[in-house]
Amino acid sequence: MNASEGKVIEFPGQSDGVIGGKRKRSHLNHAIPINEIAATSNHQYNGGEKMDDSKILEKYMEKVDTDRRETEKHLLDDARERETRLREETINREERFNESLKNYQKESKEREERFIAVIEKLENKIVEENEKMKASLEKSEQKIDDSVKNLESMKRTNFWGQVAFIIGISAIIVTFITQM
C-alpha cells in the first residue's frame, strides 16, 4: 500500500450553496485522490503504469470536463424542474383566480336577485298602499257627497219649514183677525 493512498488534493471551486430555494451540494468533485494524480513523472498509477505530467494533466482535465458536464446536466435539470414548478404554480394561480371570479359573479348575481326582490316587494307595498289610499279617498268623497246632500236637504227643509211657519203664523193671525 502506498503512503499517498487515502489522501486527497483539494481544488478550489464551487462550494455548497442554495439553488432554486433548495440547498444543493456542488456537483463538481474538487477533491481528487492523490493516488490518481502522480506528483512526479516517475510515480506509478493503475497497477504499475508510469504517468508523466502530461498524462496527469490529461486525467485532471478529463475529470474537470466530466464534472462540468454533470454540473451542466444538473443545472439544466434544476432549470426544467423550476420551469415545471412555475408552470404548475401559474396554472394553479389562474385556476384559483378563475374560481374567485366565478364566486364573485355568483355572489354578485345573488346580491342582484335579492336587491330586485326587495325592490319588487317595495313596489308591491307601494301599489297596495296606493290602492288603500284610493279606496279610503273614495269612501271619504262618498261621505262628503252624502254630507253635502244631507246639508242641501236640511237647507231645503229649513227653508220650506220657515215658509210653512210664516204661512201658519199668517193663517193664525188672519183667523184671529177675522174672528174678531
Side-chain angles (χ1 to χ4, degrees):
M1 178 183 232
N2 192 346
S4 64
E5 281 189 41
K7 293 184 180 178
V8 287
I9 297 176
E10 294 286 334
F11 293 98
Q14 183 178 3
S15 63
D16 292 345
V18 178
I19 299 175
K22 297 179 182 176
R23 187 163 257 322
K24 297 281 185 176
R25 179 88 177 144
S26 172
H27 301 295
L28 288 176
N29 187 0
H30 296 287
I32 301 176
I34 290 179
N35 62 357
E36 288 185 19
I37 301 176
T40 65
S41 61
N42 293 330
H43 193 70
Q44 293 187 354
Y45 171 76
N46 201 10
E49 177 184 337
K50 289 197 175 196
M51 295 183 61
D52 60 2
D53 287 341
S54 64
K55 274 201 162 195
I56 293 171
L57 184 59
E58 186 180 319
K59 286 279 188 189
Y60 175 71
M61 293 299 289
E62 286 177 11
K63 184 80 168 161
V64 168
D65 194 39
T66 302
D67 287 347
R68 182 191 54 80
R69 282 193 299 269
E70 286 177 3
T71 302
E72 286 176 358
K73 182 181 181 296
H74 288 294
L75 289 174
L76 185 61
D77 290 345
D78 287 346
R80 286 181 181 148
E81 270 182 37
R82 238 178 286 124
E83 182 181 341
T84 302
R85 189 174 55 249
L86 287 174
R87 187 178 312 117
E88 289 172 358
E89 288 174 359
T90 303
I91 289 170
N92 289 338
R93 196 175 304 122
E94 286 176 358
E95 288 173 354
R96 286 192 311 266
F97 179 73
N98 288 337
E99 187 67 30
S100 66
L101 281 180
K102 286 178 185 177
N103 288 338
Y104 177 74
Q105 183 181 13
K106 181 181 175 185
E107 290 172 3
S108 176
K109 186 172 183 165
E110 289 172 357
R111 197 175 315 119
E112 182 180 351
E113 288 172 355
R114 286 192 307 263
F115 186 69
I116 289 172
V118 167
I119 289 174
E120 287 176 352
K121 196 181 272 188
L122 287 174
E123 285 177 346
N124 291 339
K125 282 185 177 182
I126 290 171
V127 167
E128 186 178 304
E129 290 295 319
N130 280 344
E131 288 175 1
K132 285 180 182 178
M133 287 173 53
K134 282 182 184 178
S136 176
L137 187 61
E138 286 175 2
K139 285 181 184 177
S140 297
E141 286 176 354
Q142 185 64 35
K143 286 181 181 179
I144 290 172
D145 286 345
D146 290 344
S147 294
V148 167
K149 286 180 185 176
N150 192 17
L151 285 174
E152 288 292 325
S153 173
M154 287 174 62
K155 188 169 111 178
R156 273 189 235 122
T157 303
N158 279 341
F159 175 76
W160 290 113
Q162 289 174 358
V163 169
F165 179 74
I166 292 175
I167 292 175
I169 297 267
S170 304
I172 290 176
I173 293 177
V174 170
T175 307
F176 185 68
I177 294 182
T178 46
Q179 280 184 5
M180 290 205 220

